[in-house]
Amino acid sequence: MSEIGLVNRQFGHRARLALSPAEIRIIDDQAHAARTMWNCLHSWWQMMPKAKRGLAAADEAIRQARQDLDYLAELPAQAAQAVLKTYFQSWKNCWEGRADEPNFKARFRAAMSVDIPQGRDLNIVRVHRRWGMVNIPKVGRVRFRWTKDLPVGKRADKDNRITGARLVKDALGWHIIFRVRGLETAPEPHQGPQVGIDAGVNIPLALSNKDHQDHGRPPRRPDGKADRDKWLTQKEKTKLLTLERQAAHQKSFRKKGEKTSRRLQHTYDQIKQLRAKATRRAVDWQHRPTTYLARTYGTVVVEQLNITNMVTSARGTIEEPGKNVKAKAGLNRSIAQEAWGRTVTMLTYKTARYGGRLIKVPAPNTSRRCSACGFTTPGSREDQATFVCKNPDCGFQCNADWNAARNILHLYWTGHAIVEVPAAGRRGRRAGKTVKPVAAR
């Protein structure tokens, strides 16, 4: 916090670049050079004794490599320094238990990216309402899609400015991610109501007060099977099916050990573009309800889910084969499409921005416990969409996701709240502490 009532806020803004084929080729070469630089650093790290693994020695090594290898010189000097700092930071994260050990970056599996660490080199100018111009080292002035007001020109100062950027490539092309630092007024404590949220498949975000957030796309097809392409139109689904069959046909002619042909790789690229388009639509929808929830509610209570264990395959082994394998696989695809973890991440920073709180409660039995009588009776959750309490003295019946949302909020009221804090464990672990809840509103 720099001044009383003001807070420093750092965030990223992603924008699409409009590049010519020659510019795409230059940035592709830079990204491959950055990946090669990372792999060279990793090889150097493994070969050098522990006593000589220093930042200065590594810096001297990459300077010499850029002189000896011409294709490494295609990467700007500052971007090469950013690769060096990122590599050493990855080891620091590993030693402190926040991540696994860094490894080699494969050509086709690693994400292509180039860092621009100095914000002053960007020289961002807004051309008109839809487009802006940015300077990329060794590429020149290129256009990008202007969708958010950025602190550039007279609006930029030492507290509100762009500190750097990163070029990233996905199936839809190259994008630029600006690192923005701003000084904002600290939000007042949100006085909105409390709400419990259950992330489900039938209702994406079921709320305890029935203010459900639904994207209107059914999780299953008319034949009852899970719809893994629900974010695509029917025309796009037909095209995707045609491309997948085409790829399978082309792959049948490839002998073992042969490289992927350009024709097959082009088919794969078309499939990736459709998948990326579906993901972009899903993320766009997630931003809208999470912003609405953060603005409306002061306390948002969610489950602490272990999604990795939830989407584990039920196939089993040869000695002990699993049951309902196809049904479990369809459920796993539906869970993966809803991206519950990404929703919680959005709620985490958005509630903090609007002065609210995000609380996590234990997940066991929230979907099997009756929210009316409080008992967990076997057989109450026989249907995926409906909850029917089998307690003879209750008989409560409602939507299963709404019942779980009510249980989630009740756990917070009864003092089972968990606040996440950084832990010294492996990646994905968090240490928690119980907090006393405020009075229910």
Side-chain angles (χ1 to χ4, degrees):
M1 184 175 293
S2 57
E3 297 181 20
I4 298 177
L6 298 176
V7 292
N8 284 318
R9 176 171 171 257
Q10 298 183 14
F11 63 94
H13 173 62
R14 184 184 181 110
R16 176 167 55 89
L17 292 173
L19 302 173
S20 65
E23 293 169 341
I24 293 175
R25 193 159 47 247
I26 294 174
I27 301 180
D28 284 348
D29 292 341
Q30 291 185 7
H32 286 304
R35 179 186 57 83
T36 305
M37 181 74 70
W38 174 282
N39 291 339
C40 291
L41 275 172
H42 192 61
S43 299
W44 175 88
W45 180 276
Q46 292 179 327
M47 291 187 297
M48 295 296 291
K50 291 185 178 179
K52 296 183 179 180
R53 294 175 181 172
L55 187 62
D59 181 59
E60 182 63 29
I62 66 172
R63 289 176 184 270
Q64 186 64 37
R66 284 170 57 82
Q67 294 178 3
D68 298 339
L69 303 176
D70 294 337
Y71 63 89
L72 290 182
E74 296 178 1
L75 185 67
Q78 292 182 349
Q81 293 295 319
V83 173
L84 175 62
K85 294 180 181 179
T86 303
Y87 183 78
F88 271 77
Q89 182 63 39
S90 64
W91 275 112
K92 184 178 179 181
N93 294 338
C94 175
W95 296 331
E96 295 178 356
R98 296 193 297 267
D100 294 332
E101 293 184 4
N103 208 335
F104 285 97
K105 292 188 175 181
R107 180 179 179 87
F108 294 106
R109 292 194 298 270
M112 298 181 65
S113 63
V114 181
D115 200 271
I116 307 176
Q118 299 293 338
R120 63 174 180 268
D121 297 337
L122 298 174
N123 297 324
I124 302 172
V125 176
R126 184 170 187 177
V127 180
H128 54 77
R129 183 173 63 90
R130 292 182 177 270
W131 294 97
M133 297 289 290
V134 60
N135 184 65
I136 298 178
K138 293 194 174 185
V139 178
R141 303 289 291 174
V142 299
R143 294 190 306 160
F144 69 92
R145 193 73 167 84
W146 191 284
T147 57
K148 184 180 180 66
D149 289 336
L150 299 172
V152 297
K154 297 182 179 179
R155 299 181 54 189
D157 53 37
K158 65 177 182 179
D159 295 324
N160 299 276
R161 58 193 176 92
I162 295 177
T163 59
R166 189 174 185 85
L167 306 177
V168 295
K169 186 179 184 180
D170 60 10
L172 298 176
W174 279 101
H175 297 72
I176 185 169
I177 302 177
F178 298 105
R179 291 189 285 267
V180 185
R181 176 181 297 173
L183 194 64
E184 298 182 352
T185 305
E188 296 292 333
H190 202 302
Q191 302 299 324
Q194 301 172 359
V195 68
I197 300 178
D198 176 69
V201 174
N202 294 296
I203 300 180
L205 296 176
L207 275 62
S208 56
N209 59 355
K210 291 190 176 182
D211 186 17
H212 306 319
Q213 303 297 310
D214 193 354
H215 46 57
R217 298 177 181 268
R220 297 189 176 276
R221 301 183 309 190
D223 57 4
K225 297 182 179 180
D227 189 358
R228 62 174 183 169
D229 306 314
K230 60 185 177 184
W231 291 101
L232 299 176
T233 63
Q234 189 59 43
K235 184 178 180 180
E236 291 169 340
K237 291 179 183 179
T238 304
K239 182 180 178 181
L240 179 61
L241 180 60
T242 303
L243 289 172
E244 289 177 339
R245 290 175 177 174
Q246 182 179 341
H249 178 71
Q250 294 171 350
K251 187 178 179 180
S252 64
F253 295 97
R254 188 182 65 180
K255 296 180 181 179
K256 186 176 182 180
E258 287 185 348
K259 294 180 64 176
T260 304
S261 65
R262 291 187 178 181
R263 182 176 298 177
L264 178 57
Q265 189 61 49
H266 178 65
T267 305
Y268 284 156
D269 291 340
Q270 290 179 294
I271 295 174
K272 290 178 183 178
Q273 289 175 3
L274 287 174
R275 297 290 187 197
K277 185 179 293 186
T279 302
R280 184 178 61 179
R281 291 171 182 170
V283 174
D284 177 71
W285 177 83
Q286 283 179 306
H287 272 293
R288 284 182 273 125
T290 51
T291 301
Y292 165 76
L293 295 174
R295 288 176 173 174
T296 306
Y297 300 100
T299 301
V300 178
V301 189
V302 297
E303 294 175 293
Q304 191 175 30
L305 297 173
N306 190 337
I307 302 176
T308 303
N309 293 344
M310 295 178 63
V311 296
T312 302
S313 175
R315 186 174 302 173
T317 60
I318 298 177
E319 294 79 10
E320 297 181 1
K323 298 180 179 179
N324 299 325
V325 178
K326 290 186 178 181
K328 183 63 168 65
L331 178 62
N332 291 347
R333 284 194 294 267
S334 299
I335 293 175
Q337 276 196 326
E338 295 299 337
W340 297 340
R342 188 166 58 207
T343 300
V344 174
T345 301
M346 291 180 180
L347 284 172
T348 301
Y349 72 81
K350 290 182 180 181
T351 51
R353 183 180 181 184
Y354 291 103
R357 295 195 304 162
L358 180 76
I359 307 296
K360 292 188 177 183
V361 297
N365 296 323
T366 54
S367 61
R368 297 189 297 171
R369 185 187 304 114
C370 179
S371 60
C373 65
F375 286 93
T376 303
T377 309
S380 298
R381 187 69 190 279
E382 294 180 354
D383 187 5
Q384 183 69 24
T386 307
F387 179 88
V388 180
C389 183
K390 298 300 182 180
N391 184 3
D393 298 330
C394 180
F396 180 69
Q397 181 176 351
C398 67
N399 180 274
D401 295 332
W402 179 53
N403 177 75
R406 294 181 61 186
N407 286 326
I408 291 169
L409 183 59
H410 187 264
L411 284 174
Y412 169 64
W413 287 345
T414 54
H416 293 83
I418 299 176
V419 177
E420 288 193 347
V421 294
R426 291 180 60 82
R427 179 176 58 184
R429 295 185 180 179
R430 294 289 186 272
K433 61 181 181 180
T434 304
V435 296
K436 184 178 180 181
V438 298
R441 296 185 181 88

